Amino acid sequence: HVQLVESGGGLVQAGGCLNLSCAATGKTNVLNCMGWFRQAPGKEREEVAFITPLGRIHYADSVKGRFTVARDNSKKTMRLRMNNLSPDDTAMYYCAASFAYTWPPKEDQFDSWGQGTQVTVS
């Protein structure tokens, strides 16, 4: 089992930026893909970005060119740099981990989830 803890959310003005972090503990040696998801009020959870241990990356179309995902395997952390934020990016952001090797993994293939960190863009 893998435990995930997110940090870095907050309130930012439109056009601003934020950095999110996710720290993983537990059985991380068998972990494959890590990813970010988000859920806005009244909407379904949606994918944001995924990254494998070797750096293969997938972005949702809505964040391409604005968000950058990175991973430090030695530190068992993942980051999400979010630039040029808009009110449409307001959501609870979740870190997730998958042991699956399909690409990109489907949401139901993510086995572990963090508690989430709130991002609000005014």
Side-chain angles (χ1 to χ4, degrees), residues 9-18 82 84-87 89-90 119-122:
L11 174 64
V12 64
Q13 290 185 339
C17 58
L18 275 177
M82 305 184 293
N84 192 22
L85 286 161
S86 77
D89 296 312
T90 294
V119 171
T120 303
V121 185
S122 62

Side-chain angles (χ1 to χ4, degrees), residues 42-60:
K43 295 185 178 180
E44 293 187 355
R45 187 163 58 191
E46 62 178 6
E47 64 183 35
V48 175
F50 304 153
I51 185 168
T52 69
L54 295 181
R56 189 175 187 183
I57 291 173
H58 166 79
Y59 291 108

Side-chain angles (χ1 to χ4, degrees), residues 28-100:
T28 59
N29 57 311
V30 293
L31 190 58
N32 187 33
C33 180
M34 294 183 72
W36 291 97
F37 289 80
R38 67 186 183 185
Q39 187 168 20
K43 295 185 178 180
E44 293 187 355
R45 187 163 58 191
E46 62 178 6
E47 64 183 35
V48 175
F50 304 153
I51 185 168
T52 69
L54 295 181
R56 189 175 187 183
I57 291 173
H58 166 79
Y59 291 108
D61 288 342
S62 59
V63 307
K64 281 181 182 176
R66 300 187 300 122
F67 290 12
T68 302
V69 65
R71 178 171 176 169
D72 187 328
N73 296 319
S74 64
K75 295 181 179 179
K76 304 175 183 180
T77 59
M78 177 178 63
R79 302 184 309 278
L80 184 69
R81 169 71 176 185
M82 305 184 293
N83 292 327
N84 192 22
L85 286 161
S86 77
D88 289 341
D89 296 312
T90 294
M92 185 71 78
Y93 283 70
Y94 297 92
C95 173
S98 173
F99 302 99

